[in-house]
Amino acid sequence: MNWLAASTRPYAKNAYLIVFLMVFLCGVVTCLALYHEEKQHILADERIAGEQFVTQLKDALNSYGKEIVSLSVMLQAIDEPLTYQVFKRASEQYESTEKNASLRLFFSQYVPAYHRNDYLEQQRSLVGQSGFTITPAGERAEYLPLTFGYPFLSHPGFDTLSDEAVNLAGLKRLRTQKSLEMSPPLSSTVDGKVQSLDKFALRYPVYLPLDNLNGRITDERGFYGVVGVVFDVSGLKAQLATQSERNFSYRLAEVTHDPQHPVWFADSSQHDNIHPNHEIYWRPGTYHSQVVHFAGCNWRVDTRYSATLISMVNWGLILSAFIVFSVLAVLLSAYVRMLSNAYNQTLRLAKDQIEVDELTGLFSRYKIQRELDEAIEDCQQKNFKLATFFLDLDCFKTINDAFGHETGDKLLIKVAQRLKSVFPDEAIIGRLGGDEFLVLLALREHEKSIYLEGLCREVILQISQSYFIDGRTLNIGCSIGVALHPNYGLNAETLVKNADMAMYEAKTAGRGTYYFYDEEMGARLSRNVRIETRLRQALQEDVLQLYFQPKVDLKTQKCVGLEALLRWDDSELGRVSPAEFIPVAEQTGIILTLGEWVIERACKHIVEWREEGVQVPPVAVNCSAAQLKRPNFLSHILSLLDKYKVDPSMLEIEVTESMLIEDAESCAELLRQVSQLGMKLAIDDFGTGYSSLSYLKDLPFDYVKIDQVFIHDIMEDNDHDVLTRAIINLSHELNLKVIAEGITRPDQLERLKGYGCDVGQGYLFSEALGANSMASDPMIMALCEQSRSASHQDKD
């Protein structure tokens, strides 16, 4: 804990500064978010204002167009040749002239070449038109001169069909399409100099019915002329005055023919001198742009607020949020600093206590880990070896449960005292927790491994001496695992882990001993990990196989059963023995899935054999302790029997003695339920564990299986021979049948038959066979046939 406190102390000391910065940064982020929101709101309003401006522009242009069309209709309705007085009266009714005083209406009359002289005489007869003529001069097939204008006419007599006319192509389109047509910007001139491009001409054709001309001259389609209006931008702006000139700017350009090079004809920012540098004012990204399509022309409209974005932001809201977060940051940092001072004071008080184990007075878990880090660093500098001892007391839980934790604590104190006395003074001793201890000892050059072995034996001897506690004499053992640095661990974590594994090896070897971690152990553990990984994959890919070995009645030589044996050929590991992968499966929990797979696959093979006409005897499967402890063990078997329609009598369950030792009471009830279903039960490997006659007397077993260890040496080892005969006799006295495993020689068979053994199993009869070869194997078929014949005779 000390190293943890040391590593966190700088942060705890400066926690109030961190809190201040965090809250302050939250304030900054909030202000930025508010600014962004304000910016987006202003830009949205600016975009909406631009859309409204474009809508008003379209409305103004449409009003011009509608009234020009109306004027054309009025001229069509007149049944006599058009005169200036008639045109004037019609023009005075044009409503837009009230909104735009600069508007000028005009009429261009169609004049064919044969009517040119009559047209000129008619126009010259008007007051003030004595010098009227068609310009430019020249003979043409037809003319379209400017004839009348209201309130006045510029360039009277100018032929708009001449090559010098502006937008001649548009005028020709106008005659054929009968639609509105607007010219490009027209220049204004003062004293013969072009001032600006700020005028536009909007035109519409006038057609007369050919059956009602009344002296009026038209072309073959009834084209009589063109009526139009000339307006300038200043007049158009008068109708767009609803947008505030002070807060809103716009500019207009004609982009019909070349969108990439617009012809600007209006810029409110220039007119109002809003910004001295208009290129900067209208730089990309500062405005919204739209294109208006009207009367064959395309106008580009750029709009923006006149004021800058910064000046339109509500800074009061943003500054208020900044002030609130700043005050909050100060208050919270002050509070956190007060808490930090209290924390540091508490940490200083707990420092001494946390480095020492309160019960034993040894170093605590945290202190010993820190000492290990320092010891590794020191040994690296001095080129020493470091021995790490991992000690675990044997059967300490039994004493704790039997006499209580208070007695157990007193025992731990005594053990700690003995550890201090037996280890050298330079050894560092700590308690990891419970009954586990860690000891660190640096080895000098003259101290070899044999010194450590002697030390381990002495420690085990001293710890195993009797303890007198609370009037009781208590005995306890000790298992030790040792890992050396740098041979088997370059860091603290690896050293402790390897020493721990070595200690478990000592436990497995029978307890009360020691074990040094070595390369063989590492390789074995590495292989176990590989086996676990490949075994899980084998289950997923369904590459495991069940083999079946016959069980033969020694008197009749009939096959009375089959034992399901698991086989595994792995593509990477090769053939892996069940003796190797079953313990790994039990340690990792894979045994549960593996056991379920074996039972289901056995049921499936029984069904397949039945469909092939092979009537096999009952199949025995081995069940681990972990399987039998599962609450759903019985229900799972029943569901499989129901799924494959297999009679319970076709399955036998084999249980090892070790499982009964762990939980005999709960296993007894489960085994009774299994027996009541009609499944036979066998106790496997009898004689190799802590055999108890109560298992045979109280539990519903049908068979006792003698382990092959006894059968293998029955002819050579008198003790094995005696034990085998005793097990057979005892089992028969309890009405149990006996199965002998591992029979490989005829003399073994004869000896067992002489002792009255009921069933035999081994290579002498048959090796384990794959499921597919069961139907084709002559011996199995013969054994099964004998079994069926006997069964029929029994029924008869």
Side-chain angles (χ1 to χ4, degrees):
M1 186 65 181
N2 188 40
W3 61 268
L4 179 62
S7 63
T8 58
R9 191 176 297 119
Y11 300 100
K13 183 178 180 180
N14 300 317
Y16 71 99
L17 294 176
I18 297 174
V19 170
F20 176 83
L21 289 175
M22 290 177 63
V23 177
F24 184 79
L25 287 176
C26 287
V28 172
V29 171
T30 302
C31 292
L32 291 175
L34 289 173
Y35 172 77
H36 178 73
E37 186 67 24
E38 280 284 296
K39 177 182 176 182
Q40 295 302 316
H41 180 70
I42 292 170
L43 292 177
D45 287 347
E46 185 179 59
R47 185 178 61 256
I48 293 172
E51 292 172 354
Q52 292 174 349
F53 176 81
V54 169
T55 300
Q56 291 181 355
L57 177 62
K58 290 180 180 179
D59 291 342
L61 294 174
N62 285 329
S63 68
Y64 292 160
K66 289 178 181 178
E67 296 189 14
I68 286 296
V69 173
S70 299
L71 183 57
S72 173
V73 173
M74 290 176 63
L75 298 179
Q76 291 173 3
I78 300 173
D79 294 335
E80 56 184 2
L82 182 63
T83 64
Y84 176 72
Q85 287 74 18
V86 174
F87 178 76
K88 178 180 179 183
R89 286 196 304 270
S91 299
E92 287 174 344
Q93 301 178 27
Y94 195 59
E95 295 180 359
S96 293
T97 57
E98 299 177 2
K99 303 176 182 177
N100 189 347
S102 64
L103 291 178
R104 288 184 288 116
L105 303 176
F106 65 89
F107 175 71
S108 299
Q109 183 175 335
Y110 172 72
V111 180
Y114 69 87
H115 188 62
R116 180 175 183 276
N117 293 331
D118 294 339
Y119 169 77
L120 290 174
E121 290 179 5
Q122 181 183 356
Q123 290 301 112
R124 290 170 181 172
S125 64
L126 297 177
V127 177
Q129 299 288 334
S130 59
F132 183 87
T133 185
I134 296 178
T135 59
E139 297 293 332
R140 292 182 284 276
E142 54 185 4
Y143 305 89
L144 192 63
L146 295 171
T147 305
F148 302 123
Y150 177 83
F152 62 90
L153 181 63
S154 298
H155 309 291
F158 179 75
D159 184 9
T160 56
L161 285 179
S162 67
D163 294 337
E164 298 180 14
V166 177
N167 197 24
L168 181 58
L171 183 60
K172 292 180 178 179
R173 249 191 338 266
L174 181 69
R175 287 185 62 179
T176 58
Q177 296 181 358
K178 297 181 182 180
S179 61
L180 285 168
E181 185 272 333
M182 189 161 61
S183 70
L186 305 175
S187 60
S188 298
T189 59
V190 177
D191 297 332
K193 296 181 180 180
V194 177
Q195 297 297 310
S196 63
L197 299 173
D198 60 355
K199 297 185 182 299
F200 295 87
L202 183 62
R203 297 177 288 191
Y204 190 75
V206 179
Y207 278 83
L208 300 179
L210 295 175
D211 57 352
N212 188 23
L213 295 177
N214 293 334
R216 293 171 290 184
I217 305 300
T218 68
D219 66 2
E220 66 276 6
R221 291 176 295 178
F223 177 65
Y224 184 52
V226 173
V227 65
V229 61
V230 176
F231 63 91
D232 58 22
V233 175
S234 61
L236 185 62
K237 288 175 61 179
Q239 298 192 57
L240 306 176
T242 54
Q243 294 291 345
S244 173
E245 297 285 345
R246 182 172 55 85
N247 294 325
F248 187 80
S249 298
Y250 61 87
R251 62 177 179 173
L252 306 175
E254 211 281 335
V255 292
T256 304
H257 304 291
D258 191 357
Q260 301 301 322
H261 298 87
V263 180
W264 301 104
F265 57 84
D267 190 335
S268 64
S269 63
Q270 283 184 334
H271 182 267
D272 296 329
N273 293 320
I274 293 174
H275 197 284
N277 191 333
H278 295 281
E279 291 184 0
I280 296 177
Y281 185 78
W282 290 106
R283 68 181 182 274
T286 62
Y287 59 85
H288 301 278
S289 185
Q290 301 182 64
V291 176
V292 176
H293 307 280
F294 180 74
C297 286
N298 296 332
W299 285 9
R300 172 176 158 182
V301 184
D302 295 345
T303 58
R304 58 162 293 177
Y305 277 141
S306 301
T308 60
L309 180 66
I310 299 298
S311 64
M312 300 179 70
V313 172
N314 184 2
W315 291 107
L317 176 64
I318 297 175
L319 291 176
S320 297
F322 181 78
I323 292 172
V324 169
F325 273 94
S326 298
V327 173
L328 185 62
V330 172
L331 293 177
L332 285 178
S333 62
Y335 180 70
V336 170
R337 185 171 188 178
M338 180 183 67
L339 292 179
S340 177
N341 291 336
Y343 165 78
N344 289 331
Q345 183 178 1
T346 304
L347 196 62
R348 285 192 295 271
L349 294 175
K351 177 181 176 181
D352 296 336
Q353 299 178 3
I354 208 132
E355 291 185 347
V356 177
D357 181 65
E358 185 178 0
L359 178 65
T360 62
L362 302 176
F363 283 147
S364 67
R365 180 187 189 92
Y366 309 104
K367 178 64 174 177
I368 194 67
Q369 289 177 341
R370 183 183 176 188
E371 291 291 331
L372 178 55
D373 289 331
E374 294 177 357
I376 290 175
E377 185 178 351
D378 186 59
C379 288
Q380 289 174 343
Q381 294 176 354
K382 298 179 180 179
N383 200 25
F384 288 170
K385 288 187 177 182
L386 177 66
T388 303
F389 299 79
F390 197 108
L391 291 84
D392 185 87
L393 302 182
D394 298 331
C395 302
F396 177 77
K397 184 177 182 299
T398 304
I399 294 177
N400 240 357
D401 294 341
F403 304 110
H405 288 282
E406 184 177 351
T407 300
D409 289 346
K410 292 179 180 179
L411 178 59
L412 290 175
I413 295 173
K414 295 281 188 180
V415 170
Q417 292 172 350
R418 293 190 183 183
L419 288 177
K420 290 180 181 178
S421 64
V422 71
F423 275 104
D425 294 339
E426 62 270 18
I428 302 172
I429 307 174
R431 181 186 173 213
L432 295 177
D435 60 342
E436 295 178 340
F437 300 86
L438 193 69
V439 181
L440 313 176
L441 181 62
L443 296 180
R444 292 167 178 80
E445 293 181 0
H446 65 280
E447 295 171 333
K448 305 298 181 182
S449 297
I450 192 170
Y451 164 71
L452 295 179
E453 293 180 11
L455 184 59
C456 287
R457 287 193 293 269
E458 182 64 22
V459 170
I460 293 172
L461 177 64
Q462 292 298 326
I463 297 299
S464 301
Q465 299 295 325
S466 299
Y467 300 85
F468 188 75
I469 299 174
D470 295 336
R472 301 185 184 91
T473 300
L474 303 178
N475 291 289
I476 198 169
C478 171
S479 298
I480 303 175
V482 185
L484 294 178
H485 167 82
N487 307 63
Y488 304 111
L490 297 176
N491 54 58
E493 181 181 1
T494 305
L495 272 177
V496 174
K497 180 189 70 175
N498 292 343
D500 187 17
M501 287 190 289
M503 184 272 296
Y504 273 104
E505 286 291 323
K507 291 272 189 184
T508 305
R511 304 184 182 186
T513 185
Y514 59 90
Y515 204 96
F516 283 74
Y517 184 89
D518 54 21
E519 293 179 354
E520 181 182 350
M521 180 188 297
R524 184 169 64 254
L525 294 174
S526 177
R527 178 171 172 81
N528 288 346
V529 172
R530 189 64 183 154
I531 288 176
E532 177 189 354
T533 303
R534 296 297 298 172
L535 184 57
R536 293 184 188 274
Q537 189 171 349
L539 281 170
Q540 293 177 354
E541 298 176 354
D542 197 22
V543 297
L544 296 172
Q545 291 183 330
L546 275 187
Y547 276 58
F548 300 87
Q549 188 173 40
K551 295 189 288 188
V552 179
D553 188 305
L554 298 186
K555 293 181 181 179
T556 65
Q557 296 296 300
K558 299 174 183 177
C559 179
V560 294
L562 299 172
E563 182 179 5
L565 301 174
L566 198 57
R567 295 292 182 264
W568 178 25
D569 289 328
D570 187 71
S571 59
E572 294 183 9
L573 301 176
R575 172 161 291 186
V576 186
S577 169
E580 186 177 17
F581 70 79
I582 291 297
V584 174
E586 290 177 340
Q587 293 170 6
T588 58
I590 306 177
I591 193 65
L592 298 174
T593 306
L594 199 60
E596 293 176 354
W597 183 89
V598 169
I599 296 174
E600 181 169 7
R601 189 53 58 95
C603 292
K604 186 176 180 181
H605 284 316
I606 291 173
V607 173
E608 291 173 350
W609 293 329
R610 185 170 60 200
E611 293 175 350
E612 294 173 1
V614 180
Q615 299 297 324
V616 297
V619 177
V621 295
N622 291 278
C623 291
S624 68
Q627 285 180 266
L628 295 174
K629 289 179 181 179
R630 299 192 75 174
N632 65 338
F633 173 76
L634 188 58
S635 62
H636 180 69
I637 290 184
L638 291 174
S639 66
L640 291 177
L641 294 175
D642 181 66
K643 176 181 178 181
Y644 292 99
K645 308 302 178 186
V646 174
D647 189 274
S649 63
M650 291 300 296
L651 274 185
E652 295 180 356
I653 304 297
E654 295 188 0
V655 181
T656 60
E657 277 189 278
S658 59
M659 187 276 298
L660 299 174
I661 295 172
E662 292 177 8
D663 196 354
E665 185 176 346
S666 62
C667 286
E669 179 60 29
L670 175 63
L671 294 177
R672 291 188 186 97
Q673 294 176 2
V674 171
S675 179
Q676 290 171 2
L677 291 174
M679 285 184 274
K680 300 294 185 180
L681 296 173
I683 182 169
D684 197 12
D685 300 337
F686 189 81
T688 60
Y690 298 90
S691 302
S692 174
L693 298 181
S694 63
Y695 300 151
L696 305 180
K697 179 175 68 72
D698 299 331
L699 298 178
F701 286 107
D702 300 284
Y703 299 99
V704 173
K705 296 190 72 173
I706 302 177
D707 190 82
Q708 59 183 338
V709 172
F710 298 101
I711 306 304
H712 182 269
D713 296 330
I714 191 174
M715 304 301 298
E716 294 81 9
D717 191 316
N718 186 61
D719 291 339
H720 283 182
D721 181 60
V722 172
L723 286 173
T724 300
R725 184 171 68 247
I727 292 173
I728 294 173
N729 293 334
L730 176 63
S731 298
H732 286 166
E733 289 294 328
L734 295 173
N735 296 319
L736 300 175
K737 290 186 177 181
V738 181
I739 302 173
E741 294 181 304
I743 303 175
T744 58
R745 305 197 311 262
D747 57 345
Q748 296 171 341
L749 174 62
E750 293 302 322
R751 178 69 59 89
L752 290 170
K753 289 172 66 176
Y755 291 158
C757 182
D758 302 286
V759 180
Q761 182 179 345
Y763 285 169
L764 181 64
F765 305 107
S766 174
E767 63 181 3
L769 302 171
N772 295 332
S773 62
M774 291 292 295
S776 59
D777 186 87
M779 179 179 182
I780 296 299
M781 293 296 294
L783 292 174
C784 290
E785 183 63 33
Q786 293 175 12
S787 179
R788 284 199 300 273
S789 299
S791 176
H792 289 312
Q793 292 174 4
D794 292 342
K795 289 181 180 179
D796 294 341

